[in-house]
């Protein structure tokens, strides 16, 4: 509810508390990912959504948001590049 009302700080507190009590609570993990997304913290959003998919592989929300988060590519990891 707090997330829908735009209270990101309180929503983040509640999702963090929920995932601390139950680390595999995919509803709370999804909420944490959505808060991070709205705050512009794409690294935290990615971590949350990847964890959601580890717990609930078919979760469409996590898949949808992960597809929208760009993956930075380190040039040193590209084939044919010196390491």
């Amino acid at each position: 509810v707090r997330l829908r009302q735009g209270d990101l700080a309180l929503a983040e507190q509640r999702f963090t508390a929920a995932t601390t009590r139950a680390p595999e609570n995919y509803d709370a993990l999804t909420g944490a990912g959505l808060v991070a997304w709205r705050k512009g913290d794409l690294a935290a959003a990615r971590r949350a959504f990847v964890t959601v998919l580890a717990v609930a592989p078919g979760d469409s929300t996590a898949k949808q948001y992960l597809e929208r988060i760009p993956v930075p590519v380190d040039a040193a990891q590209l084939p044919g590049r010196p390491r």
Side-chain angles (χ1 to χ4, degrees), residues 11-32 51:
E12 183 175 36
Q13 278 182 334
R14 292 194 175 163
F15 291 132
T16 299
T19 57
T20 299
R21 286 190 306 274
E24 294 188 351
N25 178 336
Y26 70 90
D27 286 328
L29 289 164
T30 300
T51 305

Side-chain angles (χ1 to χ4, degrees), residues 1 36 42:
V1 172
L42 299 183

Side-chain angles (χ1 to χ4, degrees), residues 43-65:
R46 175 179 292 286
R47 285 190 300 275
F49 292 131
V50 165
T51 305
V52 169
L53 292 178
V55 175
D59 188 89
S60 61
T61 300
K63 287 179 181 180
Q64 177 186 20
Y65 277 90

